[in-house]
Amino acid sequence: KFETKPLLDVMARAIEHPDELYFVILDEMNLARVEHYFSEFLSFIETRERDSDDVIVTEPLISRADVNGGRPVYLPQNLMVVGTVNMDESTHAFSRKVLDRANAIEMNDIDLAWVNPERDVMPISGVYADALRAPFLNSNDLSDAHKKALASSMQMLMQVNGILEPAGLHFGYRVRDEVAFYLTLHQEEALESLEGFDTDAAMDFQLMQKVLPRIQGSSLSVLKVLIGLLSLLANTPLEEDAEYGVIEKEVNPQNTRYPRSVKKLLFMLQRFHDDGFTSFWL
């Protein structure tokens, strides 16, 4: 007898209630290799398409008479999957295949000062599934006007990829498209009006979430990538064999358009200098 597990049950409930949001949290998801147990899920993400009712669906994960009343179970558009990880010697790193399909949000800033809450946290209300529905599935969904507005950002992204390529760290169309979707939504939702979230900040977040996590290694080519990206993002000419101490004096993250990425690159460069190896993760 086939026994459904929690994830499949949540998918079935999300299909039954398309106007509600469903979140699945995979805690400590890298205690085992993500690619080993999550590869099928990642593959089904690639089959997303819109049906005749403009609903995003995937190929069915399972279609059996004894599951979900015989109705196929697929990845519904109102299901959000979030994984939490600690990156240390007891866990497994992510492959680029996983990183390409996710936004890696680092949460390492710590403030140990006591904070007295000014008010109770109120429950969120009035947010429905359409609020997080993906408006774009592939680059064909972007209009000519969208692509024209993205011209300068895509040019910069191509420069980044050109720096990554000699080390074999360059990305493909999936990352390009997802960065384009992020920046397009940032513009359409007028999010630049939020403090500290202008267009440069949006690109800075995407570099941190989609590009820099790919970088790791101990080769000279990785060192050249770090210095090349610092030179580009800090708009500061740097020799590819420059010493870390010289670069640290010449580059101040707060005086750049992309302070988060520049700060992280300086950390990665220092780690390479100290240990002969670097990665995005602490």
Side-chain angles (χ1 to χ4, degrees):
K1 179 182 178 182
F2 182 84
E3 294 185 10
T4 60
K5 298 298 182 181
L7 182 57
L8 203 59
D9 288 336
V10 171
M11 291 179 190
R13 293 205 305 273
I15 293 170
E16 283 291 317
H17 305 281
D19 293 330
E20 297 180 9
L21 279 169
Y22 286 79
F23 289 87
V24 171
I25 311 297
L26 303 177
D27 192 29
E28 301 279 14
M29 73 179 298
N30 64 334
L31 290 180
R33 289 197 179 278
V34 177
E35 297 80 4
H36 289 182
Y37 71 85
F38 211 49
S39 59
E40 189 173 12
F41 187 96
L42 296 175
S43 296
F44 278 103
I45 290 177
E46 299 300 305
T47 69
R48 289 182 303 166
E49 61 181 10
R50 289 185 172 86
D51 65 12
S52 58
D53 296 321
D54 199 32
V55 175
I56 299 173
V57 297
T58 67
E59 292 181 359
L61 280 79
I62 189 168
S63 182
R64 296 171 51 128
D66 56 344
V67 177
N68 195 35
R71 298 181 298 276
V73 178
Y74 54 88
L75 297 182
Q77 64 181 11
N78 55 329
L79 176 69
M80 310 296 157
V81 179
V82 180
T84 68
V85 301
N86 287 307
M87 303 300 289
D88 55 36
E89 63 279 357
S90 68
T91 60
H92 297 280
F94 288 123
S95 69
R96 292 178 205 162
K97 180 176 74 172
V98 175
L99 291 173
D100 284 354
R101 292 163 172 79
N103 279 281
I105 301 175
E106 191 179 36
M107 304 178 72
N108 286 328
D109 293 334
I110 304 297
D111 184 357
L112 297 180
W114 298 111
V115 177
N116 294 319
E118 297 179 0
R119 61 181 183 274
D120 293 334
V121 178
M122 301 300 294
I124 296 175
S125 61
V127 178
Y128 301 99
D130 283 350
L132 297 182
R133 181 177 182 268
F136 310 112
L137 294 184
N138 54 62
S139 59
N140 291 333
D141 294 334
L142 293 172
S143 68
D144 290 340
H146 287 145
K147 293 176 181 177
K148 184 177 180 180
L150 289 167
S152 61
S153 296
M154 291 298 103
Q155 181 62 37
M156 199 277 282
L157 201 63
M158 285 188 279
Q159 289 179 274
V160 169
N161 218 23
I163 295 171
L164 294 171
E165 187 171 5
L169 298 171
H170 52 299
F171 48 84
Y173 302 113
R174 183 181 294 106
V175 171
R176 178 205 63 185
D177 291 351
E178 292 196 5
V179 173
F181 301 158
Y182 185 100
L183 296 178
T184 298
L185 288 171
H186 175 269
Q187 181 182 36
E188 289 191 343
E189 298 295 332
L191 298 180
E192 67 274 3
S193 62
L194 299 176
E195 183 179 355
F197 199 31
D198 59 14
T199 302
D200 285 342
M203 176 61 84
D204 199 8
F205 278 118
Q206 280 295 272
L207 291 171
M208 287 286 288
Q209 295 173 14
K210 301 294 296 182
V211 177
L212 299 190
R214 306 170 63 83
I215 302 173
Q216 68 173 13
S218 58
S219 67
L220 182 60
S221 61
V222 171
L223 176 61
K224 290 180 179 180
V225 163
L226 296 176
I227 295 175
L229 288 177
L230 276 170
S231 182
L232 173 66
L233 300 182
N235 195 27
T236 303
L238 299 170
E239 298 292 336
E240 65 177 22
D241 58 351
E243 294 290 334
Y244 170 73
V246 174
I247 296 174
E248 186 182 31
K249 291 178 182 178
E250 293 190 13
V251 177
N252 181 354
Q254 300 310 312
N255 294 335
T256 68
R257 295 170 60 187
Y258 312 104
R260 295 173 184 84
S261 298
V262 170
K263 180 180 178 181
K264 172 60 75 170
L265 285 166
L266 285 172
F267 162 79
M268 295 171 71
L269 184 63
Q270 181 183 22
R271 190 174 184 184
F272 192 100
H273 176 267
D274 293 344
D275 304 333
F277 173 86
T278 196
S279 77
F280 177 87
W281 313 103
L282 292 175

